Amino acid sequence: MLTYERQMPPGWYPDPMQAGHQREWNGQQWIGPSVPVGGQEKRGFPKVLIPVFACLALAFVAVVGGALAGTPEDEVATVRADQPTTTEPATTTSPDEAAAETEEPATEPATTEPATTAAPTTEAPTTAPPVTEPEREQYEGQDLYRVGETATSGDFDITVHTVEDPYISTNQFEVPPDGQRFVAVEITITNNTSEAEPFSSLLNVEVKDSENRVWDAAFAGFDRPQLDGQVAPGASVRGWVTFGVGSDVTGLVMRIRGNLTATGSVFALG
C-alpha cells in the first residue's frame, strides 16, 4: 500500500484503478465497488457533500501527482502493475483470406516483339574489271579464228561468214574429181590502204586438213559472187571461194593472205 494512501482520511476519492470512477477509502484500504462519479448519490450520500468530495478529489490528485514525482522506481512499477492492461484482440485471418494473400498474381504472357527486318545494305557500285579477251587456240604458232570472226592480214581485214561442206553446185558440169568433195567459203575482204589492191583466190587462199595436206581453190562455184579483182581503197568485197578436198578429210583450216608476202590469218572451217 502506498504511503500517501495511509495519510488520507476516510471518504470517497477518485478511484486510482479506474478513471472516471470513485471509490470509498476507510482510512486503511479501499472498500466497496468502484462507481462512476456522482454514483455515490444513489448510495445515499447527501448532495451537499458532493462539492466537498470534489475538492477532496482535486486535493487527492495533487497529492498523488506530487507523490509520484518522488516515488521510488519500485513503487511506480507497483502502481503500473496494478493498472489493468488493455490487450488488443488478435486478428483472425480466415483460410480463404490467407490463401488469397499467398496466391501469386497470374503472370501475364510475355509479349514477343516482332522480329525487326534489317534494312537492305546498299553496297557501293564496284568497277567491273576490264574484259580480257580469252586466249585463242593456236595453229602453227598463230591465233586460230572461227567462223564469224574478223582477222587482219597484210592490206586487208578478213571476215569468214559461212562454210558449206559439202558444196553442191547448181551447174551440172561443176562436179568434184573422184575421191573429192567441194567446200565453199563465204568471205568479206576490206582494203585498209589508200590505194587499190588486187586480190586472187588462187594465190592468196589455201586449205589444209588434219594431216597437214594442202588443198587449193577449185574451178567451181562461179554461179556465186567471187573475190578476185581490184579492191578500191577502203572498199569491201564479199564473195565465195570453192575448194576441192579429199572426200574423207577432216579438221580443215583456211589460210588467207592480205598480200603475197604476208603470213596470212588462219580460220577453222569445221
Side-chain angles (χ1 to χ4, degrees):
M1 182 179 297
L2 300 178
T3 303
Y4 70 87
E5 291 180 341
R6 295 173 182 174
Q7 298 174 356
M8 290 168 45
W12 286 86
Y13 298 97
D15 190 343
M17 304 299 293
Q18 189 172 3
H21 286 64
Q22 290 182 343
R23 193 172 182 182
E24 187 178 2
W25 173 256
N26 65 0
Q28 296 294 327
Q29 61 182 1
W30 295 100
I31 62 174
S34 177
V35 298
V37 175
Q40 66 274 21
E41 295 181 8
K42 296 180 182 180
R43 297 173 61 88
F45 290 93
K47 294 182 179 180
V48 68
L49 296 178
I50 294 175
V52 175
F53 287 138
C55 292
L56 291 175
L58 292 175
F60 173 76
V61 170
V63 172
V64 171
L68 288 176
T71 302
E73 284 297 325
D74 56 346
E75 294 186 2
V76 173
T78 303
V79 173
R80 290 176 181 172
D82 292 340
Q83 294 181 350
T85 302
T86 303
T87 305
E88 292 290 334
T91 303
T92 304
T93 304
S94 66
D96 292 340
E97 291 176 345
E101 291 177 359
T102 57
E103 183 178 357
E104 295 184 359
T107 304
E108 298 253 344
T111 303
T112 303
E113 293 291 337
T116 304
T117 304
T121 304
T122 303
E123 296 183 359
T126 56
T127 303
V131 178
T132 304
E133 189 172 334
E135 187 175 344
R136 289 186 176 277
E137 184 180 351
Q138 299 294 297
Y139 178 83
E140 296 182 351
Q142 292 182 254
D143 290 339
L144 182 64
Y145 293 86
R146 301 289 177 178
V147 174
E149 295 181 327
T150 300
T152 301
S153 176
D155 299 329
F156 292 91
D157 287 340
I158 304 160
T159 304
V160 174
H161 299 287
T162 309
V163 177
E164 288 187 15
D165 185 9
Y167 162 67
I168 307 299
S169 176
T170 58
N171 186 341
Q172 60 178 343
F173 298 105
E174 292 182 354
V175 293
D178 291 340
Q180 291 188 6
R181 70 182 190 271
F182 286 145
V183 177
V185 183
E186 185 182 24
I187 304 168
T188 294
I189 56 175
T190 301
N191 184 359
N192 291 322
T193 69
S194 58
E195 298 179 359
E197 296 290 342
F199 186 87
S200 170
S201 58
L202 292 175
L203 299 176
N204 294 63
V205 185
E206 67 179 17
V207 170
K208 286 186 177 182
D209 60 23
S210 59
E211 296 181 3
N212 209 31
R213 289 176 296 187
V214 178
W215 304 89
D216 295 323
F219 290 95
F222 293 109
D223 55 342
R224 296 181 173 184
Q226 301 295 300
L227 289 178
D228 296 270
Q230 291 284 333
V231 181
S236 297
V237 176
R238 184 165 179 165
W240 293 80
V241 178
T242 303
F243 303 90
V245 301
S247 57
D248 57 353
V249 299
T250 58
L252 297 177
V253 295
M254 180 185 69
R255 184 184 298 276
I256 182 168
R257 300 177 180 87
N259 52 50
L260 295 179
T261 61
T263 304
S265 297
V266 182
F267 290 83
L269 301 183

